Amino acid sequence: MKMLKITSGVGILLSLLIGAGCTDNTGTDLNNQSNYEQNSTSFTVDTQLPPSTHEKTDSTHAYPYQEGDAIPALAYIEHDEVYNPESVIPPQCYTKTEGVNNPCYACHQSYDSMEKRPNQMGDGTLQGNYEFSDVGLTNSWKNLFIDRTSLIAGIDDATIKKYIAQDNYTASLNNDAMPDYMRIENLSAADKAFDGDGFAKDGSGWVSYNYKPFPSTFWPTNGSTGDAMIRLPESFQTLKGKYNKAIYTLNLSLVEMALKELDTLTVAPVNELALNLDVNQDGKLSNSVTEIARLSHYVGDASDVPLAHMLYPEGTEFLHTVRYIGVDENGNIYNAPRMKEVRYMKKHMFRSRESLASAYYAEAKDKHFEKLPQTRYLGEKGIDNGFGWTINGFIENEQGELRAQHDQELAFCNGCHKTVGSTFDQTFSFARKVPGQAGWGYIDLREIEDVPNINEEKGEFLTYMERVGGGDEFRQNGEMLAKWFDEKGMVKVEEVQRAKSVYDIITPSPGRAYALNKAYLTIVKEQSYLFGRDATLTKATNVLSTIDAEQPPLKPEHRFKWDMRLNWQQEKPSAIAEARQQ
């Protein structure tokens, strides 16, 4: 394979920071004490120098991997050679369980056939049992095994703060780098993008919702902040051909009810007389009702579409941004304007439970005959996950601008949004939405308590940490271990339960936030996403580089039945709820 001529890690980082306006006129001193160079080298950059002067620092890239393993990720893409045929196996699946630590249960579940779930994956046996192909026995996520402390040593806090404060999403829209269907005006700043009910102010039909982040990859303390938005087809937004916010609100609620198996939900006040619709099913029409009862069909111009058990209607779209960790002047954590990724899903084809069963059977058959996973690429549209969804995504290039993900980078998405037992119609966040009216609006971790999952007793995040033995899948988040675990490695249950909201449990200190942002920036400058996107600070020690297929799975007492849906009603009114009533 011919090696690509790629600028050095130092050169890329400097050009990235200069182009982003993150250096002062007096220059910024970046000490590259890293695995890129055997000897640390100090560079002083004057932003007034001509571009040709900066280019002199470029050289053939020496990546921080072992000898014989130094092919850059982009070289595989350039030469159309598949790096990791098993990229659908996420990095977290290589965690050492030691027979007792179980992060696997959050994804891998088998449910009773009596529930008639459309998701018929039934992969609960994967809880600590490595049923991998021969290719999958080798962990290809090499970025997990890199100590990035030296790589980030020369990036100061002021520099990274300037970088993550920049709005690369709007820039990508202005440059026509991103398709219009992924557009929300002012998305980098939630208060400008959405009204109080979560509806996009630009009229695009996107609606944001508040949801409990999935444990634990999506906890800010483990690397990123994020949000999620949903959009239903136009017919779900209109009545007699005209946009009607009340109709759209009701249809969104009906989707929530179908997915979560709910019979009633609270809604913003609705005038039943104006809609000529008995929303709460009490047998009469009122000028203001605040509850919707489940109906057999959607309403408005979508009244011919029936609700489907645990399935979204055809045409449903999701937008999900993965962002850097913002830190304000008071040390509070928030969703930074700069985005690492913008992810998109559209249900391009409705598949019934019976149709989905055939798709799951085909997957199982391929695995039985030891066929490697197949991904159907759709060009600029992204990929087809084989279950009715189109998936697309944008990610930062070397300059921090959002670019379309390459085919192999997109294949990674199927690891979570194709055949995972715990998902609802191949999705995660919407099943975890705060129920009813209170859940419509931009994500706010301070408004969410650590409520338990359905059929669980203790808070979900507390339970997760007890089962995992740490604050992340890899059990290497030292800050979480120090904060929530005692010297014997046991969770401080009462302290976790005293937390006012999940914000207090899963957000990092400013120092850790800066370090995680810097660590991810080194992955950006490498463009090494094929090797892993987890912003780990040090080399992972609780992760297997190779799998011994004979090693024992988790002991039976450490395997769990679990439902990602939450029991929002179980706990008594909290301080948050009481404050709302005042």
Side-chain angles (χ1 to χ4, degrees), residues 180-183 204-207 209 228-234 237 248 252 312-320 343-348 389-390 427 430:
D180 281 343
Y181 59 78
M182 297 172 69
R183 174 188 292 268
S204 60
W206 285 107
V207 187
Y209 53 91
M229 287 65 65
I230 187 173
R231 179 165 63 185
L232 300 181
E234 185 175 339
Q237 304 178 34
Y248 195 11
L252 287 165
Y312 301 103
E314 182 175 324
T316 300
E317 299 170 275
F318 284 98
L319 196 64
H320 167 48
R343 300 172 176 177
Y344 172 83
M345 291 180 67
K346 181 175 183 178
K347 192 167 187 176
H348 63 263
W389 292 90
T390 300
T427 68
F430 197 69

Side-chain angles (χ1 to χ4, degrees), residues 527-542:
Q527 291 290 284
S528 61
Y529 305 120
L530 289 186
F531 303 154
R533 309 179 192 190
D534 296 280
T536 52
L537 300 177
T538 58
K539 180 179 178 180
T541 57
N542 292 321

Side-chain angles (χ1 to χ4, degrees), residues 19-92:
C22 291
T23 56
D24 298 325
N25 290 336
T26 56
T28 300
D29 183 40
L30 294 179
N31 296 313
N32 186 44
Q33 300 172 345
S34 70
N35 293 334
Y36 288 93
E37 306 290 345
Q38 293 298 319
N39 300 314
S40 62
T41 307
S42 179
F43 291 85
T44 302
V45 179
D46 185 344
T47 58
Q48 303 303 314
L49 293 176
S52 60
T53 305
H54 299 303
E55 291 171 3
K56 293 178 182 180
T57 65
D58 293 349
S59 62
T60 300
H61 200 305
Y63 278 75
Y65 308 120
Q66 297 179 358
E67 183 177 356
D69 208 13
I71 300 173
L74 290 181
Y76 288 95
I77 295 168
E78 175 75 13
H79 293 275
D80 197 24
E81 181 172 332
V82 176
Y83 164 69
N84 180 11
E86 282 281 25
S87 61
V88 296
I89 303 176
Q92 290 74 15

